Amino acid sequence: MAFWSEPPRFEHPDLPFVQAWVLELVLSSAGRVHVVTWTDDDGESRLHLLADRGETLEWSGSEGEVSIYRYSRLAEFPRKKIEWVDLSVDNAGRILEIRLQVAGAGIHLIAGEVEEGTDGLTARKGDLIVLIFFNDDALGRTRFDTPI
């Protein structure tokens, strides 16, 4: 998902992560896991893991269509064995963060979104998009709730 809408731009030097409506992880067993968000009863969005239902996600837009959405294989995401997975959950067991160790890199997934406002771009947690950080430093450098 783009950080800006007019025209769509998907990168910013001060936002060291990728936004995704859905992150599809393809497993060596030929199965898939989808990491998505949805809003819970308290109004906050959390991460959810959906098991493989035999569906492949594909972009349904028209060729050449300008959109804030795109289907993309993430070159930054290592295509190696996941060494370990750790979930941070709240007291109700809802997933706040997923941490993966892949090829020595600490990948972090959190629910959030970048909002485009008159004062710039603001990264927020607890929103409708999966934010993908490809290393520990990227998460540490991100300033949440502060316009850039």
Side-chain angles (χ1 to χ4, degrees), residues 3 12-18 76 97 105-110 123 125 131-144 148:
F3 292 134
H12 188 285
D14 293 326
L15 299 171
F17 55 85
V18 172
E76 307 94 318
E97 180 179 353
I107 296 172
H108 300 261
L109 310 174
I110 63 171
K125 290 183 178 180
L131 303 181
I132 307 166
F133 298 85
F134 295 104
N135 58 58
D136 297 325
D137 181 60
L139 180 58
R141 288 187 297 121
T142 300
R143 294 177 295 162
F144 290 96
I148 58 167

Side-chain angles (χ1 to χ4, degrees), residues 34-46:
H34 297 129
V35 181
V36 300
T37 65
W38 64 69
T39 304
D40 291 322
D41 293 338
D42 64 0
E44 289 285 315
S45 291
R46 304 294 194 303

Side-chain angles (χ1 to χ4, degrees), residues 120-135:
L121 299 174
T122 304
R124 303 221 187 268
K125 290 183 178 180
D127 217 324
L128 298 173
I129 300 297
V130 179
L131 303 181
I132 307 166
F133 298 85
F134 295 104
N135 58 58

Side-chain angles (χ1 to χ4, degrees), residues 44-47 87-91 93-98 109-111 125-126:
E44 289 285 315
S45 291
R46 304 294 194 303
L47 296 173
L87 303 178
S88 292
V89 297
D90 65 11
N91 291 337
R94 296 174 296 203
I95 303 171
L96 303 173
E97 180 179 353
I98 300 171
L109 310 174
I110 63 171
K125 290 183 178 180

